[in-house]
């Protein structure tokens, strides 16, 4: 069973606030991903990391930033939240090859008022 | 332009019958395909995958078929159970090209009626 955690599970905040969504995994996986998903839509890759100190932007442009200082931790930060950031954010990791199973966390449902 | 398409947003099936979920793709570089199941307020969970060197992969009640010439894959669930009610996402990658990224479809919401 995979152990990948996301906090908070739900967050409602006002416009202009700075927020950090946490993602941690205890499996020692090198490759980690952040996806954004709106209801009825596909998962869009917004950031990924293939190891410590390595981060890249995904296909979907995002105003968020990420960091990877430790293997197990891949937080996502929004410096100034806006209503357009309202979405579900999903974190995932894989052990090595893409043909390995990609494990997902439970997600953070973000609402910006 | 969507590279992975799930054209049916929803599907309703009677318990015990077969559920067939379809997925089409346009990128010829895709060589590895996965199906994920997602319940509300949870992350997707992996169901079954298939490599482009195969045309069928089976795991219990779940079977995935791949038709490379048509760029089409389908997930069969037999027999369908009420607990199968969820959103099913098709995903693809170009693993042979060294990509570690997945491209997802929009999902199909399956409702299994008791």
């Amino acid at each position: 069973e995979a152990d990948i955690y996301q906090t908070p599970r739900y967050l409602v905040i006002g416009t202009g606030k700075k927020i950090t969504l946490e993602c941690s995994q205890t499996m020692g996986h090198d490759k980690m991903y952040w996806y954004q998903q709106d209801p009825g839509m596909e998962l869009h890759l917004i950031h990924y990391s293939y190891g410590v100190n390595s981060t890249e932007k995904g296909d979907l442009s995002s105003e968020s930033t990420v960091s990877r200082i430790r293997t197990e931790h891949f937080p996502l930060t929004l410096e100034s939240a806006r209503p357009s950031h309202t979405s579900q954010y999903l974190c995932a990791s894989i052990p090595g090859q893409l043909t390995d199973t990609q494990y997902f966390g439970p997600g953070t449902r973000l609402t910006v008022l | 332009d969507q590279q992975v398409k799930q054209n049916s947003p929803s599907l309703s099936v009677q318990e015990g019958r077969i559920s067939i979920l379809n997925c089409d793709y346009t990128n010829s570089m895709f060589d590895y395909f996965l199906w994920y199941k997602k319940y509300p307020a949870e992350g997707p969970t992996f169901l079954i995958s298939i490599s482009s060197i195969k045309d069928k992969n089976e795991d219990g009640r779940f079977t995935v078929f791949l038709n490379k010439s048509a760029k089409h894959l389908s997930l069969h669930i037999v027999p369908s159970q009420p607990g199968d009610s969820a959103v099913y996402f098709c995903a693809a990658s170009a693993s042979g090209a060294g990509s570690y990224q997945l491209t997802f479809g929009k999902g199909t919401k399956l409702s299994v009626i008791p």
Side-chain angles (χ1 to χ4, degrees):
Chain A
E1 188 66 29
D3 295 320
I4 182 163
Y5 307 99
Q6 288 185 247
T7 56
R9 293 291 311 276
Y10 302 92
L11 180 61
V12 181
I13 59 167
T15 296
K17 299 290 186 184
K18 177 180 179 179
I19 61 167
T20 296
L21 308 184
E22 302 287 348
C23 175
S24 296
Q25 47 95 5
T26 59
M27 300 167 285
H29 292 173
D30 285 329
K31 297 176 177 64
M32 296 188 73
Y33 306 81
W34 274 105
Y35 293 89
Q36 184 176 339
Q37 193 219 355
D38 295 318
M41 299 297 290
E42 61 266 56
L43 281 71
H44 286 290
L45 181 67
I46 52 175
H47 296 283
Y48 60 99
S49 167
Y50 290 167
V52 171
N53 294 325
S54 156
T55 62
E56 300 286 344
K57 288 187 179 292
D59 298 329
L60 183 67
S61 175
S62 174
E63 292 166 345
S64 58
T65 59
V66 292
S67 62
R68 190 86 182 278
I69 299 171
R70 302 197 315 267
T71 297
E72 63 271 22
H73 195 211
F74 190 38
L76 180 145
T77 298
L78 276 166
E79 290 293 333
S80 180
R82 294 207 301 269
S84 60
H85 297 140
T86 295
S87 189
Q88 184 178 36
Y89 293 84
L90 294 159
C91 181
S93 71
I94 60 171
Q97 300 303 313
L98 185 58
T99 49
D100 294 329
T101 299
Q102 189 165 112
Y103 297 100
F104 281 84
T108 295
R109 171 72 64 184
L110 173 65
T111 302
V112 184
L113 303 176
Chain B
D1 184 34
Q2 265 198 293
Q3 297 185 68
V4 177
K5 300 178 184 179
Q6 294 178 258
N7 291 321
S8 298
S10 62
L11 174 68
S12 289
V13 172
Q14 208 72 30
E15 180 179 3
R17 306 294 288 266
I18 184 171
S19 296
I20 300 176
L21 295 94
N22 293 303
C23 177
D24 298 293
Y25 62 96
T26 58
N27 189 338
S28 300
M29 298 294 289
F30 287 152
D31 58 3
Y32 188 65
F33 305 90
L34 308 90
W35 285 94
Y36 282 84
K37 176 180 179 180
K38 185 179 185 297
Y39 293 116
E42 293 184 14
T45 54
F46 171 76
L47 260 183
I48 193 169
S49 63
I50 188 166
S51 165
S52 60
I53 63 173
K54 293 186 174 182
D55 52 21
K56 177 182 174 181
N57 189 25
E58 197 170 349
D59 184 1
R61 296 185 298 113
F62 302 93
T63 302
V64 57
F65 295 92
L66 175 62
N67 183 334
K68 290 186 289 293
S69 61
K71 293 191 176 67
H72 176 82
L73 62 154
S74 60
L75 174 68
H76 293 212
I77 306 173
V78 183
S80 301
Q81 299 174 353
D84 296 329
S85 297
V87 177
Y88 289 77
F89 288 95
C90 173
S93 78
S95 62
S99 171
Y100 290 94
Q101 298 176 24
L102 291 175
T103 300
F104 285 84
K106 291 185 177 182
T108 296
K109 183 177 182 180
L110 174 66
S111 299
V112 180
I113 305 161

